[in-house]
Amino acid sequence: MKKYYQKEIETASREEIIKMQSEKLIKQVRHVYDNVPYYRKLMEERGVCPEDIRSLEDISRLPFLCKDDLREAYPYGLLGTDLKKCVRIQSTSGTTGKRVVAFYTQKDVDLWEECCARAIVAAGGSDEDVCHVAYGYGLFTGGAGLHGGAHKVGCLTLPMSSGNTDRQIQFMMDMGSTILCCTPSYAAYLGEAMAEQNIRPEENKLKAGIFGAEPWTEEMRRSIEKSLGIKAYDIYGLTETSGPGVAFECEEQSGMHINEDHFYAEIIDPETGEVLPEGSKGELVLTSLDKEAFPLLRYRTRDICILSRKKCSCGRTHVKMTKPMGRSDDMLIIRGVNVFPSQIETVLLKMGYLPNYQIEIDRKNNTDTFDVYVEMSSAQMSDKISDIQKKEKDIETSMRAMLGISPKIHLVPIKSIARSEGKAVRVVDRRKLNE
């Protein structure tokens, strides 16, 4: 069985990796400086020019980019090449309704798909496999990334997208799917649905699953592995740096290898921006070393994790990152969708409600629940339950338009939500994601 998609790169020595990253960084800084006025201005404000970047050791001289920069530069301000050279965009939601839009040249797409191909091969995939892609397609990166990666490997690829569970199961059984790609919560749901149809784990042909886009626990991994009869692998990515495939798990299942020939990773103190030594817990910062159309340098992911270069039994030499252990901002990931409390507040204010609300998230039967409690003013109160129910539905519709996901809205009387003398407790997250 093939163990690596690109063995020479995936097992390169530390010296080879550093040399490759340094050469790419120097070239990329010049590319960004010459082609992205927004970032050039940040460099000039910091008093740094491309000639100052001679090796990886100089990267700390460069300014950070963050979500606010992407919002300010939307839609074309961070574009690094002529628009006519771009062949695709992918997108995710932003904090105020403005979406994060990432651009891709054909080379960018090819490199992204190669990263996903590495993840599939690391999970035991080959050209003899049937890869069942149940991530969402469209602007979301999940479906497109794993679909392209499966093609690179040579798998028979089923572009199922998400939803329609009965059809998913029918194709999975009829076509003999061997690798499942989707969110972990949907994998858990598929396992439950198959059990309800009296399909035992040993009756399907699945051997592996590649799951990402939302937080999941080791307990959830074991549950999915048991219900589907597979080995479950984690995958990490974000739209800003291409999508899934920035990092992936190998057979050791003890962290995700970052594709260091394409991404340079740092861990910083989220408060001070200071680069922390290896093994420290902090915020992950990523630099895209060879993206052409959307080349982000020192992008603050806001994900908290730890990097480790401990030797891995799989033979890969690229640094590992732990599962994200939380966020340094207020972003929530609910059913694979990025949600900011500020988005919810924006909807409520536009609809004439006071910003007195509380978000409650839990995980039941391996699926995220998403409830929002909203206080009504005296004028919005009604004796008719039907009136309140209609208002709740109207808010849910507006929330879906903003977020791409619909919470369950509960309109409650004024002063129903507990007040705090300090910062308002806007989010109650009962998911035990770090267990």
Side-chain angles (χ1 to χ4, degrees):
M1 183 179 69
K2 190 176 181 181
K3 194 173 181 180
Y4 311 103
Y5 180 68
Q6 294 166 313
K7 182 178 181 180
E8 186 176 334
I9 295 173
E10 293 177 62
T11 62
S13 69
R14 177 57 26 201
E15 293 74 21
E16 289 172 323
I17 292 172
I18 291 173
K19 182 176 183 291
M20 185 189 318
Q21 289 182 320
S22 288
E23 290 173 354
K24 286 189 173 186
L25 177 65
I26 293 167
K27 183 178 179 182
Q28 186 72 308
V29 170
R30 170 54 69 183
H31 170 66
V32 171
Y33 189 86
D34 289 345
N35 294 284
V36 185
Y38 185 96
Y39 197 79
R40 179 167 65 245
K41 182 172 179 289
L42 294 180
M43 287 178 64
E44 289 171 347
E45 289 172 353
R46 194 167 172 125
V48 61
C49 62
E51 290 74 22
D52 295 325
I53 310 302
R54 301 183 181 91
S55 71
L56 282 179
E57 294 178 358
D58 297 320
I59 195 169
S60 60
R61 304 182 67 173
L62 294 170
F64 292 115
L65 279 172
C66 63
K67 208 103 175 183
D68 286 343
D69 292 299
L70 271 61
R71 186 168 67 242
E72 187 177 332
Y74 174 90
Y76 296 118
L78 288 168
L79 187 62
T81 189
D82 290 341
L83 193 60
K84 65 182 180 182
K85 294 182 180 178
C86 297
V87 298
R88 188 192 302 176
I89 67 161
Q90 304 282 167
S91 178
T92 187
S93 61
T95 57
T96 60
K98 282 188 177 180
R99 305 186 68 88
V100 171
V101 177
F103 298 85
Y104 301 74
T105 64
Q106 186 58 53
K107 180 185 174 185
D108 293 335
V109 172
D110 289 339
L111 293 180
W112 175 27
E113 291 178 350
E114 284 181 3
C115 289
C116 290
R118 292 180 193 177
I120 291 169
V121 173
S126 73
D127 57 7
E128 296 182 357
D129 282 286
V130 179
C131 192
H132 187 113
V133 184
Y135 283 110
Y137 280 66
L139 289 171
F140 177 59
T141 56
L146 273 302
H147 179 104
H151 276 207
K152 293 279 188 186
V153 174
C155 302
L156 174 62
T157 307
L158 306 186
M160 299 300 299
S161 195
S162 56
N164 201 332
T165 300
D166 286 343
R167 186 178 64 185
Q168 299 271 1
I169 294 171
Q170 179 193 342
F171 269 78
M172 186 182 295
M173 300 302 293
D174 292 350
M175 304 304 296
S177 302
T178 55
I179 298 175
L180 173 64
C181 304
C182 62
T183 61
S185 57
Y186 192 59
Y189 181 71
L190 280 171
E192 294 168 4
M194 292 169 78
E196 290 173 0
Q197 295 184 22
N198 296 315
I199 301 172
R200 298 190 304 274
E202 59 270 22
E203 290 179 314
N204 73 61
K205 292 187 178 181
L206 290 173
K207 64 180 183 181
I210 301 173
F211 308 131
E214 64 185 14
W216 54 309
T217 63
E218 288 302 311
E219 180 185 21
M220 191 172 181
R221 186 207 297 267
R222 291 190 293 271
S223 175
I224 292 170
E225 289 184 333
K226 183 178 179 181
S227 69
L228 292 174
I230 61 172
K231 194 166 182 178
Y233 297 86
D234 207 348
I235 191 168
Y236 174 83
L238 53 165
T239 301
E240 296 92 317
T241 55
S242 68
V246 169
F248 60 89
E249 270 190 328
C250 62
E251 61 206 38
E252 199 174 84
Q253 293 177 301
S254 61
M256 293 172 278
H257 290 284
I258 295 175
N259 284 308
E260 289 194 273
D261 53 322
H262 299 308
F263 305 99
Y264 181 70
E266 303 170 86
I267 294 292
I268 65 167
D269 182 319
E271 298 295 328
T272 66
E274 176 193 1
V275 178
L276 301 176
E278 183 182 320
S280 302
K281 181 179 177 181
E283 181 183 337
L284 178 66
V285 173
L286 291 173
T287 292
S288 298
L289 293 171
D290 42 22
K291 277 203 74 173
E292 295 178 327
F294 203 63
L296 300 188
L297 303 181
R298 302 197 85 199
Y299 181 69
R300 296 187 59 166
T301 68
R302 300 297 182 180
D303 286 321
I304 303 297
C305 68
I306 299 170
L307 298 182
S308 171
R309 297 194 185 279
K310 182 181 176 182
K311 188 175 181 180
C312 185
S313 61
C314 78
R316 289 175 180 81
T317 52
H318 293 202
V319 68
K320 279 184 177 180
M321 61 176 281
T322 61
K323 281 177 176 288
M325 300 170 175
R327 300 276 304 175
S328 65
D329 62 6
D330 61 353
M331 189 181 88
L332 304 164
I333 301 177
I334 305 171
R335 299 176 212 150
V337 176
N338 298 347
V339 175
F340 291 86
S342 56
Q343 292 174 306
I344 288 170
E345 193 165 305
T346 297
V347 171
L348 295 177
L349 289 171
K350 281 184 177 178
M351 298 186 73
Y353 292 88
L354 295 172
N356 298 327
Y357 64 94
Q358 191 167 73
I359 304 162
E360 287 193 9
I361 311 161
D362 206 342
R363 182 161 283 171
K364 296 178 181 177
N365 298 322
N366 291 316
T367 300
D368 291 339
T369 61
F370 181 18
D371 294 82
V372 179
Y373 294 83
V374 181
E375 286 187 356
M376 293 179 286
S377 66
S378 300
Q380 291 163 335
M381 294 285 289
S382 173
D383 292 332
K384 291 184 179 180
I385 294 177
S386 59
D387 289 345
I388 293 176
Q389 289 175 335
K390 183 181 183 305
K391 290 176 181 177
E392 289 172 339
K393 292 297 181 186
D394 289 343
I395 298 173
E396 287 173 3
T397 299
S398 295
M399 289 288 184
R400 176 173 286 278
M402 167 68 85
L403 307 173
I405 186 174
S406 183
K408 176 67 177 173
I409 298 295
H410 306 269
L411 286 174
V412 296
I414 195 165
K415 296 186 179 178
S416 295
I417 298 172
R419 300 298 195 262
S420 171
E421 292 181 6
K423 187 177 179 180
V425 180
R426 293 296 189 206
V427 179
V428 179
D429 193 342
R430 296 192 174 91
R431 298 173 296 180
K432 296 175 182 177
L433 299 175
N434 292 322
E435 292 185 357

